[in-house]
Coordinates of all heavy atoms in Angstrom, one line a residue:
Chain A
D969 N 107.6 35.8 203.9 CA 108.1 35.8 205.3 C 109.3 36.8 205.4 O 110.1 36.9 204.5 CB 108.6 34.4 205.6 CG 109.2 34.3 207.0 OD1 108.5 34.2 208.0 OD2 110.5 34.4 207.1
Y970 N 109.3 37.4 206.5 CA 110.3 38.4 206.8 C 111.7 37.9 206.5 O 112.5 38.6 205.9 CB 110.1 38.7 208.3 CG 111.1 39.6 208.9 CD1 111.1 41.0 208.8 CD2 112.2 39.0 209.7 CE1 112.0 41.8 209.4 CE2 113.1 39.8 210.2 CZ 113.0 41.2 210.1 OH 114.0 42.0 210.7
E971 N 112.1 36.7 206.9 CA 113.4 36.2 206.7 C 113.6 35.6 205.4 O 114.7 35.8 204.7 CB 113.8 35.2 207.8 CG 113.7 35.6 209.2 CD 114.9 36.5 209.6 OE1 115.9 36.6 208.8 OE2 114.9 36.9 210.8
F1024 N 111.1 31.0 232.1 CA 109.8 30.7 231.6 C 109.8 30.5 230.1 O 108.9 30.8 229.4 CB 108.8 31.9 231.9 CG 108.8 32.3 233.4 CD1 109.2 33.5 233.8 CD2 108.4 31.3 234.3 CE1 109.2 33.8 235.1 CE2 108.4 31.6 235.6 CZ 108.8 32.9 236.1
I1025 N 110.9 29.9 229.6 CA 111.0 29.5 228.2 C 110.5 28.1 228.0 O 110.8 27.2 228.8 CB 112.5 29.6 227.8 CG1 112.9 31.1 227.7 CG2 112.7 28.9 226.4 CD1 114.3 31.3 227.3
R1026 N 109.6 28.0 227.0 CA 109.1 26.7 226.6 C 109.4 26.4 225.1 O 109.5 27.4 224.4 CB 107.6 26.7 226.8 CG 107.1 26.9 228.2 CD 105.7 27.6 228.2 NE 104.8 26.8 227.4 CZ 104.0 25.8 227.9 NH1 104.2 25.4 229.1 NH2 103.2 25.2 227.1
P1027 N 109.5 25.2 224.7 CA 109.8 24.9 223.3 C 108.8 25.5 222.4 O 107.6 25.6 222.7 CB 109.8 23.4 223.2 CG 110.1 22.9 224.6 CD 109.4 23.9 225.5
D1028 N 109.2 25.9 221.2 CA 108.4 26.5 220.2 C 107.4 25.4 219.6 O 107.9 24.4 219.2 CB 109.3 27.1 219.1 CG 108.5 27.9 218.1 OD1 107.3 27.6 217.8 OD2 109.1 28.9 217.5
E1029 N 106.1 25.7 219.6 CA 105.1 24.7 219.2 C 104.8 24.8 217.7 O 104.0 24.0 217.2 CB 103.9 24.8 220.1 CG 104.1 24.5 221.5 CD 102.9 25.0 222.4 OE1 101.9 25.4 221.9 OE2 103.1 25.1 223.6
N1030 N 105.3 25.7 217.0 CA 104.9 26.1 215.7 C 105.0 24.9 214.7 O 104.0 24.4 214.2 CB 105.6 27.3 215.2 CG 104.8 28.0 214.1 OD1 103.7 27.8 213.9 ND2 105.5 29.0 213.5
R1033 N 102.9 21.8 215.7 CA 101.5 21.9 215.4 C 101.2 21.7 213.9 O 100.3 21.0 213.5 CB 101.0 23.2 215.9 CG 99.5 23.4 215.8 CD 99.0 24.8 216.3 NE 99.6 25.1 217.6 CZ 99.0 24.8 218.7 NH1 98.0 24.0 218.7 NH2 99.6 25.1 219.9
E1034 N 102.0 22.5 213.1 CA 101.6 22.5 211.7 C 102.0 21.2 211.0 O 101.3 20.8 210.0 CB 102.2 23.7 210.9 CG 102.0 25.0 211.6 CD 100.6 25.4 211.9 OE1 99.7 24.6 211.7 OE2 100.3 26.5 212.4
Q1037 N 98.9 19.1 211.8 CA 97.6 19.6 211.3 C 97.6 19.7 209.8 O 96.6 19.4 209.2 CB 97.3 21.0 211.9 CG 96.0 21.6 211.5 CD 95.7 23.0 212.1 OE1 96.3 23.4 213.1 NE2 94.8 23.7 211.5
Q1064 N 96.5 19.3 222.6 CA 97.5 20.3 222.9 C 98.7 19.7 223.5 O 99.9 20.1 223.2 CB 96.9 21.4 223.7 CG 97.9 22.5 224.3 CD 98.6 23.3 223.2 OE1 98.1 23.4 222.1 NE2 99.8 23.8 223.5
E1068 N 102.7 19.8 222.4 CA 103.8 20.2 223.3 C 104.9 19.1 223.4 O 106.1 19.4 223.4 CB 103.3 20.5 224.7 CG 102.4 21.7 224.7 CD 101.7 22.0 226.0 OE1 102.0 21.3 227.1 OE2 100.8 22.8 226.1
N1089 N 119.7 37.4 216.0 CA 118.5 37.6 215.4 C 118.6 37.8 213.9 O 117.7 37.7 213.1 CB 117.8 38.9 215.9 CG 116.9 38.5 217.1 OD1 116.5 37.4 217.2 ND2 116.6 39.5 217.9
N1169 N 86.0 17.2 195.3 CA 85.1 16.4 196.2 C 85.2 15.0 195.8 O 84.2 14.4 195.3 CB 83.7 16.9 196.1 CG 83.6 18.4 196.5 OD1 83.4 18.7 197.7 ND2 83.6 19.3 195.6
K1210 N 82.2 12.8 185.9 CA 80.8 12.8 186.4 C 80.1 11.5 186.1 O 79.1 11.2 186.8 CB 80.1 13.9 185.7 CG 80.4 15.3 186.2 CD 79.6 16.4 185.5 CE 80.0 17.7 186.0 NZ 79.9 17.9 187.4
D1215 N 79.6 14.7 191.5 CA 80.2 15.9 192.1 C 81.6 16.1 191.5 O 82.4 17.0 192.0 CB 80.4 15.7 193.6 CG 79.0 15.7 194.3 OD1 78.1 16.3 193.7 OD2 78.9 15.2 195.4
G1217 N 84.9 17.3 189.7 CA 85.3 18.6 189.0 C 85.9 19.5 190.0 O 86.0 19.2 191.2
K1250 N 101.6 43.2 185.2 CA 102.5 43.0 186.4 C 103.6 42.1 186.0 O 103.5 41.2 185.1 CB 101.7 42.3 187.5 CG 100.6 43.1 188.1 CD 101.0 44.1 189.2 CE 99.8 44.8 189.7 NZ 100.1 45.9 190.6
E1257 N 99.2 39.5 192.4 CA 98.4 40.7 192.6 C 97.2 40.7 191.5 O 96.3 41.4 191.6 CB 99.2 42.0 192.5 CG 100.1 42.1 193.7 CD 101.1 43.3 193.6 OE1 100.8 44.2 192.8 OE2 102.1 43.3 194.3
R1267 N 100.3 33.8 201.8 CA 100.4 34.7 202.9 C 100.6 34.0 204.2 O 100.9 34.7 205.2 CB 99.1 35.6 202.9 CG 99.1 36.6 201.8 CD 98.1 37.6 201.9 NE 96.8 37.0 201.9 CZ 95.6 37.7 201.9 NH1 95.7 39.0 202.0 NH2 94.5 37.1 201.9
F1270 N 98.9 28.4 205.6 CA 97.6 27.8 205.1 C 97.4 27.9 203.6 O 96.2 27.8 203.2 CB 96.5 28.4 206.0 CG 96.6 28.0 207.4 CD1 97.1 28.9 208.3 CD2 96.1 26.8 207.8 CE1 97.2 28.5 209.7 CE2 96.2 26.4 209.2 CZ 96.8 27.3 210.1
L1279 N 82.6 25.6 198.2 CA 82.6 26.1 196.8 C 81.8 27.5 196.8 O 82.2 28.4 196.1 CB 81.8 25.1 195.9 CG 81.5 25.6 194.5 CD1 82.8 25.9 193.7 CD2 80.7 24.5 193.8
S1280 N 80.7 27.5 197.6 CA 79.9 28.7 197.5 C 79.7 29.3 198.9 O 79.5 28.5 199.9 CB 78.5 28.4 197.0 OG 77.6 29.4 197.2
N1281 N 79.8 30.6 199.0 CA 79.5 31.2 200.3 C 78.0 31.5 200.5 O 77.6 31.9 201.5 CB 80.2 32.6 200.4 CG 81.7 32.4 200.4 OD1 82.2 31.5 201.0 ND2 82.4 33.4 199.8
S1282 N 77.3 31.3 199.4 CA 75.9 31.6 199.5 C 75.0 30.5 199.1 O 73.8 30.7 198.8 CB 75.6 32.8 198.6 OG 76.0 32.5 197.3
A1284 N 74.1 26.2 200.2 CA 74.4 25.1 201.2 C 74.6 23.8 200.6 O 74.2 22.8 201.1 CB 73.2 25.1 202.2
L1287 N 79.4 21.3 198.8 CA 80.5 21.0 198.0 C 81.7 21.9 198.4 O 81.5 23.0 198.8 CB 80.2 21.3 196.5 CG 79.3 20.3 195.8 CD1 79.1 20.7 194.4 CD2 79.8 18.9 195.9
L1288 N 82.9 21.3 198.4 CA 84.1 22.1 198.6 C 84.6 22.6 197.3 O 84.5 22.0 196.2 CB 85.2 21.2 199.2 CG 84.8 20.4 200.5 CD1 86.0 19.5 201.0 CD2 84.4 21.4 201.6
Q1293 N 88.3 30.2 196.8 CA 88.7 31.1 197.8 C 89.5 32.3 197.2 O 89.4 33.4 197.7 CB 89.5 30.4 198.9 CG 89.7 31.3 200.1 CD 90.4 30.5 201.2 OE1 90.4 29.3 201.3 NE2 91.1 31.2 202.1
T1296 N 88.1 35.5 193.6 CA 87.3 36.6 194.2 C 86.9 37.5 193.1 O 87.4 37.5 191.9 CB 88.2 37.4 195.2 OG1 89.3 38.0 194.4 CG2 88.7 36.6 196.3
E1297 N 85.9 38.4 193.4 CA 85.5 39.4 192.4 C 86.6 40.2 191.8 O 86.8 40.4 190.6 CB 84.4 40.4 193.0 CG 83.1 39.7 193.3 CD 83.2 38.9 194.6 OE1 84.2 38.9 195.3 OE2 82.2 38.2 194.9
A1298 N 87.5 40.6 192.7 CA 88.7 41.4 192.3 C 89.6 40.6 191.3 O 90.0 41.1 190.3 CB 89.5 41.9 193.5
I1300 N 88.8 37.9 189.6 CA 88.1 37.5 188.4 C 88.2 38.7 187.4 O 88.5 38.6 186.2 CB 86.6 37.2 188.7 CG1 86.5 35.8 189.3 CG2 85.8 37.2 187.4 CD1 85.1 35.4 189.8
H1304 N 90.4 38.7 184.0 CA 89.7 39.0 182.7 C 90.4 40.0 181.9 O 90.7 39.8 180.7 CB 88.3 39.5 183.1 CG 87.4 39.9 182.0 ND1 86.5 39.1 181.3 CD2 87.4 41.1 181.3 CE1 85.9 39.7 180.4 NE2 86.4 41.0 180.3
N1305 N 90.8 41.1 182.5 CA 91.5 42.2 181.8 C 92.9 41.8 181.3 O 93.4 42.2 180.3 CB 91.5 43.5 182.6 CG 90.1 44.1 182.7 OD1 89.3 43.9 181.8 ND2 89.9 44.9 183.7
Y1308 N 92.4 39.7 178.3 CA 92.0 40.6 177.2 C 93.2 41.1 176.5 O 93.3 41.0 175.3 CB 91.1 41.7 177.8 CG 90.5 42.5 176.7 CD1 89.2 42.3 176.3 CD2 91.2 43.6 176.1 CE1 88.6 43.1 175.3 CE2 90.6 44.4 175.1 CZ 89.3 44.1 174.7 OH 88.7 44.9 173.7
E1309 N 94.1 41.7 177.3 CA 95.3 42.3 176.7 C 96.2 41.2 176.1 O 96.8 41.4 175.0 CB 96.1 43.0 177.8 CG 95.7 44.3 178.2 CD 96.8 45.2 178.8 OE1 97.3 44.7 179.8 OE2 97.1 46.2 178.3
Y1312 N 94.2 40.2 172.7 CA 94.0 41.2 171.7 C 95.3 41.9 171.3 O 95.5 42.2 170.1 CB 92.9 42.2 172.1 CG 91.6 41.5 172.0 CD1 90.9 41.0 173.1 CD2 90.9 41.4 170.8 CE1 89.7 40.4 173.0 CE2 89.7 40.8 170.7 CZ 89.1 40.3 171.8 OH 87.8 39.8 171.7
S1359 N 75.3 24.1 173.4 CA 74.7 25.5 173.5 C 75.8 26.5 173.5 O 75.6 27.6 172.9 CB 73.8 25.6 174.8 OG 74.6 25.3 175.9
M1360 N 76.9 26.2 174.1 CA 78.0 27.2 174.2 C 78.6 27.3 172.8 O 78.8 28.4 172.3 CB 79.1 26.6 175.1 CG 80.3 27.5 175.2 SD 81.5 26.7 176.4 CE 82.8 28.0 176.4
A1363 N 76.3 29.5 170.7 CA 76.4 30.9 171.0 C 77.6 31.5 170.4 O 77.6 32.7 169.9 CB 76.3 31.1 172.5
H1367 N 78.1 34.4 167.3 CA 78.9 35.7 167.3 C 80.0 35.7 166.2 O 80.1 36.7 165.5 CB 79.6 35.8 168.7 CG 80.6 36.9 168.8 ND1 80.2 38.2 169.1 CD2 81.9 36.9 168.6 CE1 81.3 39.0 169.1 NE2 82.3 38.3 168.8
I1384 N 86.7 34.8 174.1 CA 85.4 34.4 174.6 C 85.5 33.2 175.4 O 85.0 33.0 176.5 CB 84.4 34.2 173.4 CG1 84.0 35.6 172.8 CG2 83.2 33.5 173.9 CD1 83.3 35.5 171.5
Q1390 N 83.1 28.4 181.8 CA 83.4 27.0 181.4 C 84.9 26.8 181.3 O 85.3 25.7 181.6 CB 82.7 26.7 180.0 CG 81.2 26.7 180.1 CD 80.5 28.1 180.0 OE1 81.2 29.1 180.0 NE2 79.2 28.1 179.9
M1392 N 87.1 28.3 183.3 CA 87.7 28.4 184.6 C 87.5 27.2 185.5 O 87.8 27.2 186.7 CB 87.1 29.7 185.3 CG 87.4 31.0 184.5 SD 86.5 32.4 185.2 CE 86.4 33.5 183.7
V1393 N 86.8 26.2 185.0 CA 86.6 25.0 185.8 C 87.1 23.8 184.9 O 87.4 23.9 183.7 CB 85.1 24.8 186.1 CG1 84.6 25.9 186.9 CG2 84.3 24.6 184.8
Chain B
K1444 N 67.0 31.7 195.1 CA 66.7 32.6 196.2 C 66.4 34.0 195.7 O 67.0 34.4 194.8 CB 67.9 32.6 197.2 CG 68.0 31.5 198.1 CD 68.9 31.9 199.3 CE 69.5 30.7 199.9 NZ 70.7 30.2 199.1
A1505 N 108.8 40.2 234.8 CA 109.5 38.9 235.2 C 109.1 37.8 234.3 O 109.9 37.0 233.9 CB 109.1 38.6 236.7
T1506 N 107.8 37.7 234.0 CA 107.3 36.5 233.2 C 107.7 36.6 231.8 O 108.1 35.6 231.2 CB 105.8 36.4 233.3 OG1 105.4 36.4 234.7 CG2 105.3 35.2 232.6
F1575 N 93.9 26.8 220.5 CA 95.4 27.1 220.2 C 95.7 26.8 218.7 O 96.9 27.0 218.3 CB 96.3 26.3 221.1 CG 95.8 26.4 222.6 CD1 95.6 25.3 223.3 CD2 95.6 27.7 223.1 CE1 95.2 25.4 224.7 CE2 95.2 27.8 224.5 CZ 95.0 26.6 225.2
H1577 N 95.7 27.7 214.8 CA 95.4 29.0 214.1 C 94.1 29.1 213.4 O 93.3 29.9 213.7 CB 96.4 29.2 213.0 CG 97.7 29.8 213.4 ND1 97.7 31.1 213.9 CD2 98.9 29.4 213.4 CE1 99.0 31.4 214.2 NE2 99.7 30.3 213.9
N1578 N 94.0 28.3 212.3 CA 92.8 28.5 211.5 C 91.5 28.2 212.2 O 90.5 28.9 211.9 CB 92.9 27.8 210.1 CG 93.0 26.3 210.3 OD1 93.3 25.8 211.4 ND2 92.8 25.5 209.3
N1621 N 90.9 42.1 201.8 CA 92.0 41.2 202.1 C 91.6 39.8 201.8 O 91.9 38.9 202.5 CB 92.3 41.3 203.6 CG 93.5 40.6 204.0 OD1 94.6 40.9 203.5 ND2 93.4 39.5 204.8
S1623 N 89.6 36.3 200.9 CA 88.5 35.5 201.5 C 88.4 35.8 203.0 O 89.4 35.9 203.7 CB 88.8 34.1 201.2 OG 87.9 33.3 201.9
N1628 N 81.3 35.8 205.4 CA 80.4 34.8 204.8 C 79.0 34.9 205.3 O 78.7 35.0 206.4 CB 80.9 33.4 205.1 CG 82.0 33.0 204.1 OD1 82.3 33.7 203.2 ND2 82.6 31.8 204.4
N1629 N 78.1 34.9 204.3 CA 76.7 34.8 204.7 C 75.8 34.2 203.5 O 76.1 34.5 202.4 CB 76.2 36.3 205.0 CG 74.8 36.3 205.5 OD1 73.8 36.4 204.8 ND2 74.6 36.1 206.8
L1630 N 74.9 33.4 203.9 CA 74.1 32.7 202.9 C 73.2 33.7 202.1 O 72.8 33.4 201.0 CB 73.3 31.6 203.5 CG 74.1 30.4 204.0 CD1 73.2 29.4 204.7 CD2 74.9 29.8 202.9
Y1634 N 79.3 38.8 200.2 CA 80.3 39.9 200.1 C 81.1 39.9 198.9 O 81.1 38.9 198.2 CB 81.2 39.8 201.4 CG 82.2 38.7 201.4 CD1 83.5 38.9 200.9 CD2 81.9 37.5 201.8 CE1 84.5 37.9 201.0 CE2 82.8 36.4 201.8 CZ 84.1 36.7 201.4 OH 85.0 35.7 201.4
V1635 N 81.7 41.0 198.5 CA 82.6 41.0 197.4 C 84.0 41.3 197.9 O 84.2 41.8 199.0 CB 82.2 42.1 196.4 CG1 80.9 41.8 195.7 CG2 82.3 43.5 197.0
S1636 N 85.0 40.8 197.2 CA 86.4 40.9 197.6 C 87.1 41.8 196.6 O 87.1 41.6 195.4 CB 86.9 39.5 197.6 OG 88.3 39.5 197.9
L1637 N 87.7 42.9 197.1 CA 88.4 43.8 196.3 C 89.9 43.8 196.5 O 90.4 43.3 197.5 CB 87.9 45.2 196.6 CG 86.4 45.4 196.6 CD1 86.0 46.8 197.1 CD2 85.8 45.2 195.2
N1638 N 90.6 44.2 195.4 CA 92.1 44.1 195.5 C 92.7 45.5 195.6 O 92.5 46.3 194.6 CB 92.6 43.4 194.2 CG 94.1 43.2 194.2 OD1 94.8 43.7 195.1 ND2 94.5 42.4 193.3
N1640 N 95.7 46.3 195.6 CA 96.9 46.5 194.8 C 96.6 46.8 193.3 O 97.5 47.2 192.6 CB 97.7 45.2 194.8 CG 98.3 44.9 196.1 OD1 98.9 45.8 196.7 ND2 98.2 43.7 196.6
L1645 N 86.9 48.6 184.9 CA 85.8 47.9 184.2 C 86.3 46.6 183.5 O 87.5 46.6 183.1 CB 85.2 48.8 183.1 CG 84.5 50.0 183.7 CD1 84.2 51.0 182.6 CD2 83.2 49.6 184.4
M1646 N 85.5 45.6 183.4 CA 86.0 44.4 182.7 C 85.8 44.6 181.2 O 84.6 44.8 180.8 CB 85.2 43.2 183.3 CG 85.6 42.8 184.7 SD 84.5 41.6 185.5 CE 85.0 40.1 184.7
R1647 N 86.9 44.5 180.5 CA 86.9 45.0 179.1 C 85.9 44.3 178.2 O 85.2 44.9 177.4 CB 88.3 45.1 178.6 CG 89.1 46.0 179.4 CD 90.5 46.1 179.0 NE 90.6 46.7 177.6 CZ 91.8 47.0 177.1 NH1 92.9 46.7 177.7 NH2 91.8 47.5 175.9
G1648 N 85.9 43.0 178.4 CA 85.0 42.2 177.5 C 83.5 42.4 177.8 O 82.7 42.0 177.0
H1649 N 83.2 43.0 179.0 CA 81.8 43.1 179.3 C 81.3 44.5 179.2 O 80.2 44.9 179.6 CB 81.6 42.7 180.8 CG 81.8 41.2 181.0 ND1 81.0 40.2 180.5 CD2 82.9 40.5 181.6 CE1 81.4 39.0 180.8 NE2 82.6 39.2 181.5
S1654 N 82.2 44.2 171.6 CA 81.4 43.3 170.8 C 81.2 42.0 171.4 O 80.3 41.2 171.0 CB 82.1 43.2 169.4 OG 83.2 42.4 169.5
V1658 N 77.7 37.7 173.8 CA 78.0 36.3 173.8 C 78.5 35.9 175.2 O 78.2 34.8 175.7 CB 78.9 35.9 172.7 CG1 80.3 36.6 172.7 CG2 79.2 34.4 172.7
L1662 N 77.0 33.0 177.7 CA 77.7 31.9 178.3 C 77.6 31.9 179.8 O 77.5 30.8 180.5 CB 79.2 32.0 177.9 CG 79.5 31.9 176.4 CD1 81.0 31.8 176.2 CD2 78.8 30.7 175.8
Q1665 N 74.2 30.5 180.5 CA 74.2 29.0 180.3 C 74.8 28.3 181.5 O 74.3 27.3 182.0 CB 75.0 28.7 179.0 CG 74.3 29.0 177.8 CD 75.1 28.8 176.5 OE1 76.3 28.3 176.6 NE2 74.6 29.0 175.4
A1671 N 73.9 20.8 186.8 CA 74.7 19.6 186.7 C 76.2 20.0 186.8 O 77.0 19.1 187.0 CB 74.4 18.8 185.4
P1673 N 78.0 22.4 189.0 CA 78.0 23.4 190.1 C 79.2 24.2 190.1 O 79.2 25.4 190.6 CB 77.9 22.5 191.3 CG 78.3 21.1 191.0 CD 77.9 21.0 189.5
F1674 N 80.4 23.7 189.6 CA 81.6 24.5 189.7 C 81.5 25.7 188.7 O 81.7 26.9 189.0 CB 82.8 23.7 189.4 CG 83.1 22.7 190.5 CD1 82.6 21.4 190.5 CD2 83.8 23.1 191.6 CE1 82.8 20.6 191.5 CE2 84.1 22.2 192.6 CZ 83.5 21.0 192.6
E1677 N 78.9 28.2 190.0 CA 79.4 29.1 191.1 C 80.4 30.1 190.5 O 80.4 31.3 190.9 CB 80.1 28.3 192.2 CG 80.6 29.2 193.4 CD 79.5 30.1 194.0 OE1 78.3 29.7 193.9 OE2 79.9 31.1 194.5
V1678 N 81.3 29.7 189.6 CA 82.2 30.7 188.9 C 81.4 31.7 188.1 O 81.7 32.9 188.2 CB 83.2 29.9 188.0 CG1 83.9 30.9 187.1 CG2 84.2 29.1 188.8
G1681 N 80.2 34.2 190.4 CA 81.3 35.1 190.7 C 81.6 36.1 189.6 O 81.9 37.3 189.9
R1684 N 79.1 38.8 189.8 CA 79.3 39.7 190.9 C 80.5 40.6 190.6 O 80.5 41.8 190.9 CB 79.7 38.9 192.2 CG 78.5 38.3 192.9 CD 78.8 37.9 194.3 NE 80.0 37.0 194.4 CZ 79.9 35.7 194.3 NH1 78.8 35.1 194.2 NH2 81.0 35.0 194.4
A1685 N 81.5 40.1 189.9 CA 82.7 40.9 189.5 C 82.3 42.0 188.5 O 82.7 43.1 188.7 CB 83.8 40.0 188.9
H1744 N 106.6 33.4 216.4 CA 107.2 32.3 217.2 C 108.7 32.5 217.4 O 109.2 32.0 218.4 CB 107.0 30.9 216.4 CG 105.6 30.4 216.5 ND1 105.2 29.6 217.5 CD2 104.6 30.5 215.6 CE1 103.9 29.3 217.3 NE2 103.6 29.8 216.2
N1746 N 112.2 35.4 216.7 CA 112.6 36.7 216.5 C 111.5 37.7 216.8 O 111.3 38.7 216.0 CB 113.0 36.9 215.0 CG 114.4 36.3 214.7 OD1 115.0 35.7 215.6 ND2 114.9 36.5 213.5
E1749 N 112.3 41.5 216.9 CA 112.6 42.1 215.6 C 111.4 42.2 214.7 O 111.2 43.2 214.0 CB 113.7 41.3 214.9 CG 114.5 42.1 213.9 CD 115.6 41.3 213.3 OE1 116.2 40.4 214.1 OE2 116.0 41.4 212.2
R1750 N 110.6 41.2 214.7 CA 109.4 41.2 213.8 C 108.3 42.1 214.3 O 107.5 42.6 213.5 CB 108.9 39.7 213.7 CG 109.7 38.8 212.9 CD 109.2 37.4 213.0 NE 110.2 36.5 212.4 CZ 110.0 35.6 211.5 NH1 108.8 35.4 211.1 NH2 111.0 34.8 211.0
T1791 N 104.6 33.1 228.1 CA 105.9 32.5 228.1 C 106.6 32.7 226.8 O 106.0 32.9 225.8 CB 105.8 31.0 228.4 OG1 104.9 30.5 227.5 CG2 105.3 30.7 229.8
S1792 N 108.0 32.6 226.9 CA 108.8 32.7 225.7 C 109.3 31.4 225.2 O 109.3 30.4 226.0 CB 110.0 33.7 226.0 OG 111.1 33.3 225.2
N1793 N 109.6 31.2 223.9 CA 110.3 30.0 223.6 C 111.7 30.3 223.2 O 112.4 29.6 222.5 CB 109.6 29.3 222.4 CG 109.4 30.2 221.2 OD1 110.4 31.0 220.9 ND2 108.3 30.2 220.5
G1794 N 112.3 31.3 223.9 CA 113.6 31.7 223.6 C 113.7 33.1 223.0 O 114.2 34.0 223.5
D1798 N 104.3 31.6 221.8 CA 103.4 30.6 221.2 C 101.9 31.0 221.2 O 101.6 32.1 221.8 CB 103.6 29.2 221.8 CG 104.7 28.4 221.1 OD1 104.4 28.1 219.9 OD2 105.8 28.1 221.6
H1799 N 101.1 30.1 220.6 CA 99.7 30.4 220.5 C 99.1 30.5 221.9 O 99.3 29.6 222.7 CB 99.0 29.3 219.7 CG 99.6 29.2 218.4 ND1 99.1 28.2 217.5 CD2 100.5 29.8 217.7 CE1 99.7 28.3 216.3 NE2 100.6 29.3 216.5
A1826 N 103.8 34.1 237.1 CA 104.2 32.8 236.6 C 103.9 31.7 237.6 O 104.0 30.5 237.2 CB 105.7 32.8 236.2
D1835 N 99.3 23.6 232.0 CA 99.5 22.2 231.6 C 99.5 21.3 232.8 O 100.6 21.0 233.4 CB 100.8 22.0 230.8 CG 100.7 22.6 229.4 OD1 99.7 22.5 228.9 OD2 101.8 23.0 228.9
F1839 N 102.9 26.1 234.6 CA 102.5 27.4 234.0 C 102.7 27.3 232.5 O 103.8 26.9 232.0 CB 103.4 28.5 234.6 CG 103.2 29.8 234.0 CD1 101.9 30.4 234.1 CD2 104.2 30.6 233.4 CE1 101.7 31.7 233.6 CE2 104.0 31.8 233.0 CZ 102.7 32.4 233.1
A1840 N 101.7 27.7 231.7 CA 101.8 27.7 230.3 C 101.7 29.1 229.7 O 102.1 29.4 228.5 CB 100.7 26.9 229.7
R1842 N 99.1 30.8 228.8 CA 98.0 31.0 227.9 C 96.8 31.5 228.8 O 96.4 30.8 229.7 CB 97.6 29.7 227.2 CG 98.7 29.1 226.3 CD 98.3 27.9 225.7 NE 98.2 26.8 226.6 CZ 99.0 25.7 226.6 NH1 99.9 25.6 225.8 NH2 98.8 24.8 227.5

Side-chain angles (χ1 to χ4, degrees):
Chain A
D969 177 80
Y970 173 82
E971 299 284 356
F1024 308 116
I1025 286 175
R1026 300 153 50 86
D1028 190 327
E1029 295 165 12
N1030 205 9
R1033 187 183 308 278
E1034 309 310 3
Q1037 185 180 340
Q1064 171 62 23
E1068 291 172 15
N1089 269 342
N1169 301 275
K1210 284 184 186 302
D1215 292 339
K1250 295 276 180 189
E1257 293 174 18
R1267 290 191 298 186
F1270 294 97
L1279 172 63
S1280 169
N1281 293 327
S1282 56
L1287 289 178
L1288 304 178
Q1293 193 172 337
T1296 61
E1297 291 78 8
I1300 288 172
H1304 175 95
N1305 286 337
Y1308 187 97
E1309 279 203 306
Y1312 286 99
S1359 58
M1360 179 178 184
H1367 173 83
I1384 288 166
Q1390 291 82 353
M1392 300 173 204
V1393 301
Chain B
K1444 280 201 205 75
T1506 303
F1575 316 126
H1577 273 298
N1578 58 344
N1621 190 63
S1623 171
N1628 274 355
N1629 187 268
L1630 292 178
Y1634 70 98
V1635 295
S1636 179
L1637 308 174
N1638 183 352
N1640 289 314
L1645 293 168
M1646 291 169 75
R1647 297 179 66 175
H1649 294 288
S1654 70
V1658 60
L1662 298 187
Q1665 288 176 359
F1674 291 91
E1677 183 53 28
V1678 168
R1684 286 195 304 271
H1744 285 272
N1746 282 6
E1749 200 174 332
R1750 287 175 191 228
T1791 53
S1792 152
N1793 56 41
D1798 267 298
H1799 303 179
D1835 285 330
F1839 180 59
R1842 296 182 292 248

